[in-house]
Amino acid sequence: PSPLPTLIGKKRDGERLEDAEIRSFVRGVTEGTAQHGQIGAMLMAIWLRGMDAGETLALTQAMAASGRTLAWPPAWHGLVVDKHSTGGVGDKVSLALAPALAACGCKVPMISGRGLGHTGGTLDKLEAIPGFCISQSPEEMCSILERVGCCIVGQSEVLAPADRVLYGLRDVTATVDSVPLITASILSKKAAERLSALVLDVKFGGAALYPTQESARELARSLVEVGTQLGIRTVAVLSRMDQPLGRAVGNALEVLEALECLEGGGPPDLRQLVTVLG
């Protein structure tokens, strides 16, 4: 593949990147040979010019392959599931849904993210619990799933390391709301999890990344299409985010509200969305 500045120029000019060129870019991100300025320039070129379905799939596969792929016991076949939300104010669904799915016999190896844009991150919320550790090795994840059925962890040098770099840089380069970048970020983590099924909560409205239902539907289509091509049974739910979900906003407060939900209480809108996604 051509040098990285050439690839940046190619995408800036609206040309299509070949699979090998996309893999070369992701390798530079993972190995640290690509400068932050170059990565930011490529992110902006993708944001401005977009990517077709083939490019988006190639980017997702390259990011998933940047780290280890998780492996599960044969007895768990068909039981390994996950959920992802595009994020919204007060969205603490993962904290209630993952243990609820585990209680139903599923295995939920959720690789989650930190706050992005104005939305809070599941990992940040969990770290409001004193001593909570969001960094677990693949072996530790398997042990936790064996014992309790679910875990929520962060990207690492081992799991989706390319996404770890790109996720942080998207937040500071105004490239968060790009359909191919969101698709690749979400699904590279999910591909590394070796899932049987995935449900996506795609938000729209005044407090979401996408203000209109139609723009959210475009992202949902991209996620379902690429997820299916990765061999994951993928569905998307469009949910309204014109106001905060539930009553609590703020990391520790949202953890407490999720616990209320798990105990059969909590706000009706939170309970309903956890149930629908489940």
Side-chain angles (χ1 to χ4, degrees), residues 70-263:
L70 299 175
W72 310 117
W76 295 2
H77 180 72
L79 297 177
V80 183
V81 304
D82 200 1
K83 159 265 177 191
H84 187 88
S85 168
T86 55
V89 180
D91 181 5
K92 71 280 293 179
V93 167
S94 293
L95 302 179
L97 180 60
L101 290 170
C104 294
C106 295
K107 302 293 183 184
V108 190
M110 191 179 290
I111 303 176
S112 195
R114 295 197 175 276
L116 200 58
H118 66 277
T119 65
T122 300
L123 300 180
D124 304 307
K125 294 168 191 180
L126 286 169
E127 286 184 333
I129 302 169
F132 194 98
C133 179
I134 55 103
S135 180
Q136 303 288 342
S137 71
E139 292 75 21
E140 288 166 332
M141 288 178 69
C142 198
S143 172
I144 293 166
L145 290 184
E146 185 71 62
R147 293 198 318 276
V148 297
C150 67
C151 61
I152 302 178
V153 303
Q155 313 102 311
S156 65
E157 287 83 3
V158 177
L159 297 171
D163 182 60
R164 191 184 188 199
V165 176
L166 295 177
Y167 196 91
L169 286 173
R170 280 168 56 216
D171 202 25
V172 296
T173 55
T175 54
V176 170
D177 57 343
S178 158
V179 167
L181 293 177
I182 293 174
T183 301
S185 175
I186 292 171
L187 293 180
S188 63
K189 296 191 282 279
K190 304 312 176 188
E193 294 173 12
R194 298 286 295 278
L195 300 175
S196 307
L198 172 66
V199 62
L200 298 151
D201 177 14
V202 182
K203 306 284 194 188
F204 67 94
L209 287 176
Y210 286 94
T212 66
Q213 188 169 354
E214 197 41 58
S215 56
R217 195 182 302 279
E218 181 192 353
L219 174 60
R221 283 198 193 102
S222 172
L223 287 163
V224 171
E225 183 179 333
V226 173
T228 303
Q229 287 179 300
L230 291 169
I232 304 168
R233 200 175 70 210
T234 309
V235 295
V237 173
L238 296 178
S239 68
R240 189 175 291 281
M241 183 46 76
D242 287 316
Q243 59 190 36
L245 184 65
R247 289 188 292 268
V249 177
N251 293 341
L253 296 174
E254 291 186 44
V255 171
L256 292 171
E257 190 164 82
L259 289 171
E260 287 177 15
C261 181
L262 284 170
E263 291 167 354

